[in-house]
Amino acid sequence: MIGLLGVVLALGLLIFLAYRGVSVLLLAPLCALLAALFAGAPLLGLYTQVFMGSAGSFIISFFPLFLLGAIFGRLMDDSGSAKAIAQGLVAQLGGGQAILAVVLACAILTYGGVSLFVVAFAIYPIAASLFRDQNIPKRLIPATIALGAFTFTMTALPGTPAIQNAIPMPFFGTSPFAAPGIGILAALIMFGAGQWWLMRRAAAARALGEGYGVHPDALPTADKAMRECAAGQGYDVTDLVCEKAATPSRPLPPFWLAVLPIVVVIVANLLFSTFVIPSWDVAFLAEPQFGAVGLPSVLGVWSIILALTLAILVLIATNWARLVSLTRSLDDGANASVLPIFNTASLVGFGAVVAALPAFEIVRVGVLGLGGENPLVSLAIAVNILAGITGSASGGMSIALSTLGSTYLEMATAAGIAPEVLHRITAIATGGLDSLPHNGAVVTLLAICGLTHRQSYGDLAMVAVVFPIGALVVAIVAATLFGAF
């Protein structure tokens, strides 16, 4: 019982101090060792052999995805492609569809792999202008951006290079396109319900005579909380804001050219994972020096690496004249990838230490007992709760899979549930409680918009917490009744 108290205390400190702005790089190992101390376990042994081993394995497996994704996002921003997509959608949809235009712009960018932080910085000025012109309350902007960037494109849609879609692949031997029908169904629910809610809220505000409100429309000066949250994701908000203000305007690429790299990511990902890589002779993977694994263990990661690399090359080739300093863009993108992966890897190490403690068996039995005979229910609850505790979708997923992934795979196999279903339900389950008020992306988005939790979090919670959880329930029911589709 003392050991279990240590685990609960460690988790509580992790979430409380992370919310207060303390770096996860420091918190995760310290909290893990606190839990080990209560259990009377060897501290140094757990730190060097378990914590560091698990954190290092995560970095080895996923660093290329973080690196290439960050570079791709930076190039999309620096080339003006992100802004061109937003403006193009506004032109196509018409001025009266501000909410839909912002949601779709965010969705296209994040589905193609652009970081949600880059998307928020790129889209906010456009959203502010549209909402001001159409007299829609500014307090709805964070929820609108969150719907397009934090929900269905991050967790549900198949084929995205988002890390939430990549982490389950080596655990279940799946591809980025696992269970596409289930993912699309969940995505339609999140998008449809979120869009309905925002339009309803805008109409209610209009009926009450509430307009845009009195707000400074410029990007806000970064305060302490904003800097800390952004720095935790590899960005310095102050530098980004100043840089945006100082960057001279330049001609944007045409809409079709701006979208082209994103199309390349999705199509290339599908081709590599379905046709190209499976045709290769990969017998060498069975050798010990290559990990003695099969192709399913690396197929998804390989396909995303190749797809992002090809998209980056296309982006550079088609925007050469628009990239003021290619070297700086590449450097900034590469630097922005380091902190996010180390933060997530530290959470993985924390989860590995907790799983190695005797008290975890109590937690394990309790979690696995949820949902009765259906392991999908237990898996979804475990991932969602851990994502909420850590304030991170990828962090919660990583802890759940690193500690219980093999167990869920065995349970699913015994129940006749395909690994592809496990993959998609896991990914969808990361969205929901991850967007609680202490989430770094939520705090940063509100700071970018110059709004407070009190002003905007209620609507943001509906589109990023309530509706994704509802979509998860529907996805579980559909997967239980119809299997993988």
Side-chain angles (χ1 to χ4, degrees), residues 40-440:
L43 301 186
L44 286 177
L46 283 172
Y47 177 66
T48 61
Q49 305 306 115
V50 178
F51 182 95
M52 291 305 301
S54 297
S57 296
F58 181 87
I59 293 173
I60 289 171
S61 298
F62 296 110
F63 180 66
L65 305 190
F66 279 82
L67 175 65
L68 294 171
I71 291 174
F72 179 73
R74 185 71 188 195
L75 290 172
M76 285 290 292
D77 192 25
D78 289 352
S79 66
S81 297
K83 187 175 182 180
I85 289 173
Q87 292 184 351
L89 284 172
V90 172
Q92 292 295 321
L93 294 173
Q97 297 292 332
I99 292 176
L100 180 60
V102 172
V103 170
L104 291 180
C106 294
I108 290 174
L109 291 169
T110 51
Y111 184 52
V114 180
S115 163
L116 58 88
F117 291 93
V118 172
V119 171
F121 276 109
I123 300 300
Y124 165 68
I126 298 170
S129 176
L130 287 172
F131 278 49
R132 185 175 60 251
D133 292 344
Q134 296 182 28
N135 223 21
I136 300 173
K138 183 182 179 181
R139 59 183 172 80
L140 295 179
I141 292 180
T144 305
I145 293 176
L147 176 59
F150 292 10
T151 61
F152 58 95
T153 57
M154 184 182 79
T155 64
L157 286 180
T160 176
I163 194 64
Q164 289 80 7
N165 192 38
I167 290 176
M169 295 188 298
F171 289 97
F172 303 133
T174 49
S175 79
F177 293 88
I182 296 173
I184 292 173
L185 173 63
L188 289 174
I189 293 172
M190 293 183 211
F191 171 73
Q195 185 68 22
W196 165 80
W197 176 264
L198 292 173
M199 295 298 292
R200 175 175 172 270
R201 294 286 286 169
R206 190 178 303 112
L208 293 174
E210 179 185 357
Y212 180 78
V214 180
H215 304 280
D217 289 327
L219 285 172
T221 301
D223 60 15
K224 181 177 182 291
M226 184 177 176
R227 288 196 301 271
E228 288 172 347
C229 291
Q233 299 295 329
Y235 294 94
D236 186 307
V237 178
T238 305
D239 289 346
L240 281 173
V241 172
C242 294
E243 182 180 323
K244 291 294 180 186
T247 302
S249 60
R250 56 185 183 278
L252 299 177
F255 180 81
W256 68 268
L257 191 61
V259 174
L260 179 61
I262 293 177
V263 174
V264 169
V265 170
I266 305 305
V267 174
N269 196 357
L270 176 62
L271 294 177
F272 281 124
S273 62
T274 306
F275 302 106
V276 179
I277 297 178
S279 68
W280 293 352
D281 179 8
V282 292
F284 63 86
L285 288 174
E287 300 175 12
Q289 63 177 322
F290 294 105
V293 298
L295 180 60
S297 297
V298 297
L299 175 61
V301 174
W302 283 7
S303 64
I304 294 178
I305 289 174
L306 292 174
L308 282 172
T309 300
L310 181 60
I312 288 171
L313 294 176
V314 170
L315 185 52
I316 293 173
T318 55
N319 291 278
W320 184 267
R322 298 181 187 90
L323 294 169
V324 177
S325 175
L326 177 60
T327 301
R328 182 181 177 185
S329 295
L330 294 175
D331 287 347
D332 289 346
N335 292 335
S337 71
V338 176
L339 274 177
I341 191 170
F342 270 83
N343 283 340
T344 306
S346 292
L347 292 172
V348 172
F350 172 84
V353 170
V354 170
L357 301 177
F360 183 73
E361 184 61 23
I362 301 174
V363 178
R364 180 180 178 276
V365 172
V367 170
L368 294 178
L370 299 172
E373 300 295 324
N374 191 342
L376 297 179
V377 176
S378 172
L379 173 64
I381 293 174
V383 171
N384 223 314
I385 290 177
L386 286 169
I389 289 173
T390 60
S392 166
S394 57
M397 174 196 289
S398 298
I399 293 174
L401 293 184
S402 63
T403 55
L404 295 170
S406 59
T407 303
Y408 281 121
L409 184 58
E410 292 174 3
M411 294 173 62
T413 301
I417 298 173
E420 289 76 14
V421 174
L422 289 178
H423 175 131
R424 190 54 54 202
I425 294 300
T426 301
I428 296 172
T430 62
L433 296 183
D434 70 308
S435 295
L436 291 176
H438 66 284
N439 175 270

